[in-house]
Amino acid sequence: MDKIAIDAVLNRIEETTGQNANPRIAAIVHRMVRDLFYLIEDLDIQPEEFWAGLNYLAEAGRNGELGLIAPGLGFDHFLDLRMDEAEARAGINGGTPRTIEGPLYVAGAPVAQGEARLDDGTDDGEVLVMEGQVFDGAGKPLRDAKVEVWHANSMGNYSYFDPTQSAFNLRRTIVTDSEGRYRLRSIVPVGYSVPPGGATDRLLKKLDRHGTRPAHIHFFVSAPGHRKLTTQINIDGDPYLWDDFAFATREGLVPPVTRVEDAAAMQALGVGKPFSLIRFDFTLHADNASVPQAEVARQRAAAAA
Ligand code: MBD
Ligand code: FE
C-alpha cells in the first residue's frame, strides 16, 4: 500500500481515541500500532506470519518466558544504557556500574547481619567466599547498607524457579557492619541457560544464537539517601564471559578470582579443600532528584522466609 493509504487508516483508528484517554498510554499505543503497520507493509508480513507471531507471544506469556525474551533481545541492557546516560546528563558519574536485574529475583530472602552462608550444603560446587565494602561517592563506608544477593547453583538453576532446591537457597540479604563490610560464603555458580524447547530457546535458535549466560552473581545494594544499585559480578574465566545471551557483562564487573589453598585459611573456614575468593566493593551514588529514581517497580516473585 502507499503511505497515503496507510496513514489514512491509521488516522481513522487513532481518531477513535476518546477525550478521557490516558495520554501516555494513547501515545505509546498509537506509535506502536503505526510502527507495526509499517513493519507489516515494509516486510510484506503475510497473515499466517502475523498470527504465528501473536500466538508465539501468547505462549511465551503463558509460560512466563517474556522476562527471558526481553533480555535476550537486548531490551534490559538498552534500558541500562539509557539510565547511564540520564545519570551522566545529571552529572552522576563513576561508582559501580549497573547491569540488568533479570527475571529471577525473589523477594523475602532471610536477612543476616554482616555475613551469611548462602548455600544449604547440598551443592558440591567449589566453595566461594566473597567479601567487600559498600561506600558512598566520597569513599565513606556505608553501615547498615542492604546487600541483596542471589545466584544460580552449579547446575545453572535458581531456587524457587527450580523447585528441587530448598527455599531461598543461594539468596540472602546481608546488612553491612559498622565499616560497611559484607561477607558471604556460598558455592561458585554456573551460567544459566534458557529452558530447552521453550519459547525463548526456539526464537534464539531461529536466530542461530545460544541462550546461555556466563556464571554471575546478582546484587541489589541500597542504603538510605542513596540510589539503589542493581548489578551483577561475573565469574572470570567463564567461556561465555563476553558472549552473554543477555548482553549484561560490563567492564568493572569482572573481579579477579583468587584460589585459596592455604591450610590455615581452609581450616578457618571449616572446609577441607581449596576455595575461591572474590573481593568486590560497591560504590553508591547519593539520591538525586534531577534523574529518574534507580529503583524500578516491576512484578517480582515473593516468598516467605
Ligand atoms: C538469568 O539468570 C539472568 O540473570 C537473566 C538476565 C536472564 C535469564 C537468566
Ligand atoms: Fe541471573
Coordinates of all heavy atoms in Angstrom, one line a residue, residues 5-38:
A5 N -2.4 5.9 1.9 CA -3.5 5.0 2.3 C -3.3 4.4 3.7 O -4.2 4.2 4.5 CB -3.6 3.8 1.2
I6 N -2.0 4.1 4.0 CA -1.7 3.6 5.3 C -2.0 4.6 6.4 O -2.6 4.4 7.4 CB -0.2 3.1 5.4 CG1 0.0 1.9 4.5 CG2 0.2 2.7 6.8 CD1 1.4 1.5 4.3
D7 N -1.5 5.9 6.1 CA -1.8 6.9 7.1 C -3.2 7.2 7.3 O -3.7 7.5 8.3 CB -1.0 8.2 6.7 CG 0.5 8.0 6.9 OD1 0.9 7.0 7.6 OD2 1.3 8.9 6.5
A8 N -4.0 7.0 6.2 CA -5.4 7.3 6.3 C -6.1 6.3 7.2 O -6.9 6.7 8.1 CB -6.1 7.2 4.9
V9 N -5.7 5.0 7.1 CA -6.4 4.1 8.0 C -5.8 4.2 9.4 O -6.6 4.1 10.4 CB -6.2 2.6 7.5 CG1 -4.8 2.1 7.5 CG2 -7.1 1.7 8.3
L10 N -4.6 4.6 9.6 CA -4.0 4.8 10.9 C -4.7 6.0 11.6 O -5.1 5.9 12.7 CB -2.5 5.1 10.8 CG -1.6 3.9 10.8 CD1 -0.2 4.3 10.4 CD2 -1.6 3.1 12.1
N11 N -5.0 7.1 10.8 CA -5.7 8.2 11.4 C -7.1 7.8 11.8 O -7.5 8.3 12.8 CB -5.7 9.4 10.3 CG -4.3 10.0 10.2 OD1 -3.4 9.8 11.0 ND2 -4.1 10.7 9.0
R12 N -7.8 7.0 11.0 CA -9.1 6.6 11.3 C -9.1 5.9 12.6 O -10.0 6.1 13.5 CB -9.7 5.7 10.2 CG -11.1 6.1 9.7 CD -11.6 5.2 8.7 NE -12.4 4.1 9.3 CZ -12.5 2.9 8.9 NH1 -11.8 2.5 7.8 NH2 -13.2 2.0 9.5
I13 N -8.1 5.0 12.8 CA -8.0 4.2 14.1 C -7.7 5.2 15.2 O -8.3 5.1 16.3 CB -7.0 3.1 13.9 CG1 -7.5 2.1 12.8 CG2 -6.7 2.4 15.2 CD1 -6.4 1.2 12.3
E14 N -6.7 6.1 15.1 CA -6.3 6.9 16.2 C -7.5 7.9 16.6 O -7.6 8.2 17.7 CB -5.1 7.8 15.8 CG -3.8 6.9 15.7 CD -2.6 7.7 15.4 OE1 -2.6 8.9 15.5 OE2 -1.6 7.0 15.1
E15 N -8.3 8.3 15.6 CA -9.4 9.2 15.9 C -10.5 8.6 16.8 O -11.3 9.4 17.4 CB -10.0 9.7 14.6 CG -9.2 10.8 13.9 CD -9.6 11.1 12.5 OE1 -10.6 10.5 12.0 OE2 -8.9 11.8 11.8
T16 N -10.5 7.3 16.9 CA -11.5 6.7 17.9 C -11.1 6.9 19.3 O -11.9 6.7 20.2 CB -11.6 5.2 17.6 OG1 -10.3 4.6 17.8 CG2 -12.1 4.9 16.2
T17 N -9.8 7.4 19.6 CA -9.4 7.6 20.9 C -10.2 8.7 21.6 O -10.4 9.8 21.0 CB -7.9 8.1 20.9 OG1 -7.2 7.1 20.2 CG2 -7.3 8.2 22.3
G18 N -10.8 8.4 22.8 CA -11.7 9.3 23.4 C -11.0 10.4 24.2 O -9.8 10.4 24.5
Q19 N -11.8 11.4 24.6 CA -11.3 12.6 25.3 C -10.6 12.3 26.6 O -9.7 13.0 27.1 CB -12.5 13.5 25.7 CG -13.2 14.1 24.5 CD -12.9 15.5 24.3 OE1 -13.0 16.3 25.2 NE2 -12.3 15.9 23.1
N20 N -11.1 11.2 27.2 CA -10.6 10.9 28.6 C -9.5 9.8 28.5 O -9.2 9.2 29.6 CB -11.8 10.4 29.5 CG -12.8 11.5 29.6 OD1 -12.4 12.7 29.8 ND2 -14.1 11.2 29.5
A21 N -9.0 9.6 27.3 CA -7.9 8.6 27.2 C -6.7 9.0 28.1 O -6.5 10.1 28.4 CB -7.4 8.5 25.8
N22 N -6.0 8.0 28.6 CA -4.7 8.2 29.3 C -3.7 8.7 28.2 O -3.4 7.9 27.3 CB -4.2 6.9 30.0 CG -2.9 7.1 30.6 OD1 -1.9 7.5 30.0 ND2 -2.8 6.7 31.9
P23 N -3.2 9.9 28.3 CA -2.4 10.4 27.1 C -1.1 9.7 26.9 O -0.7 9.5 25.8 CB -2.2 11.9 27.6 CG -2.5 12.0 29.0 CD -3.4 10.9 29.3
R24 N -0.5 9.2 28.0 CA 0.8 8.5 27.8 C 0.5 7.1 27.1 O 1.2 6.8 26.2 CB 1.4 8.3 29.2 CG 2.7 7.5 29.2 CD 3.8 8.3 28.6 NE 5.1 7.6 28.7 CZ 6.2 7.9 28.0 NH1 6.1 8.9 27.1 NH2 7.3 7.3 28.2
I25 N -0.5 6.4 27.6 CA -0.8 5.1 27.0 C -1.3 5.3 25.6 O -0.8 4.5 24.7 CB -2.0 4.4 27.8 CG1 -1.6 4.2 29.3 CG2 -2.4 3.1 27.2 CD1 -0.5 3.2 29.5
A26 N -2.1 6.4 25.3 CA -2.5 6.6 24.0 C -1.4 6.9 23.0 O -1.3 6.3 21.9 CB -3.5 7.8 23.9
A27 N -0.4 7.7 23.5 CA 0.8 8.0 22.6 C 1.6 6.7 22.3 O 2.0 6.5 21.2 CB 1.6 9.0 23.3
I28 N 1.7 5.9 23.4 CA 2.5 4.6 23.2 C 1.8 3.7 22.2 O 2.4 3.1 21.3 CB 2.8 4.0 24.5 CG1 3.7 4.8 25.4 CG2 3.4 2.6 24.3 CD1 3.8 4.4 26.9
V29 N 0.5 3.5 22.4 CA -0.3 2.6 21.6 C -0.3 3.1 20.1 O -0.1 2.3 19.2 CB -1.7 2.4 22.1 CG1 -2.6 1.6 21.1 CG2 -1.6 1.6 23.5
H30 N -0.6 4.4 19.9 CA -0.6 4.9 18.6 C 0.7 4.7 17.9 O 0.8 4.3 16.7 CB -0.9 6.4 18.6 CG -2.3 6.7 19.1 ND1 -2.7 8.0 19.4 CD2 -3.4 5.9 19.2 CE1 -4.0 8.0 19.8 NE2 -4.4 6.7 19.7
R31 N 1.8 4.9 18.6 CA 3.1 4.8 18.0 C 3.4 3.3 17.7 O 4.0 3.0 16.6 CB 4.2 5.4 18.9 CG 5.6 5.1 18.5 CD 5.9 5.8 17.1 NE 7.3 5.4 16.7 CZ 8.3 6.2 16.9 NH1 8.2 7.3 17.5 NH2 9.5 5.8 16.6
M32 N 3.0 2.4 18.6 CA 3.3 1.0 18.4 C 2.5 0.5 17.2 O 3.1 -0.3 16.4 CB 2.9 0.2 19.7 CG 3.9 -0.8 20.1 SD 3.6 -1.3 21.8 CE 1.9 -1.9 21.7
V33 N 1.3 0.8 17.1 CA 0.4 0.3 16.0 C 1.0 0.9 14.7 O 1.1 0.2 13.7 CB -1.1 0.7 16.2 CG1 -1.9 0.4 15.0 CG2 -1.6 0.0 17.5
R34 N 1.3 2.2 14.7 CA 1.9 2.8 13.5 C 3.2 2.0 13.0 O 3.3 1.7 11.9 CB 2.2 4.3 13.7 CG 2.8 5.0 12.6 CD 2.8 6.5 12.9 NE 1.5 7.1 13.0 CZ 0.8 7.6 12.0 NH1 1.4 7.7 10.8 NH2 -0.4 8.1 12.2
D35 N 4.1 1.8 14.0 CA 5.3 1.2 13.6 C 5.1 -0.3 13.1 O 5.7 -0.7 12.2 CB 6.3 1.2 14.8 CG 6.9 2.5 15.1 OD1 6.6 3.5 14.3 OD2 7.7 2.7 16.0
L36 N 4.1 -0.9 13.7 CA 3.8 -2.3 13.3 C 3.1 -2.4 12.0 O 3.4 -3.3 11.2 CB 3.0 -3.0 14.4 CG 3.8 -3.4 15.7 CD1 2.8 -4.0 16.7 CD2 4.9 -4.4 15.4
F37 N 2.2 -1.4 11.7 CA 1.6 -1.3 10.3 C 2.7 -1.2 9.3 O 2.7 -1.9 8.3 CB 0.7 -0.2 10.2 CG -0.7 -0.5 10.7 CD1 -1.0 -1.4 11.7 CD2 -1.8 0.2 10.1 CE1 -2.3 -1.6 12.2 CE2 -3.1 -0.1 10.6 CZ -3.4 -1.0 11.6
Y38 N 3.7 -0.3 9.6 CA 4.8 -0.1 8.6 C 5.7 -1.3 8.5 O 6.2 -1.6 7.4 CB 5.5 1.2 8.9 CG 4.8 2.4 8.2 CD1 3.9 3.2 8.9 CD2 5.0 2.6 6.9 CE1 3.2 4.2 8.3 CE2 4.3 3.7 6.2 CZ 3.4 4.5 7.0 OH 2.7 5.5 6.3

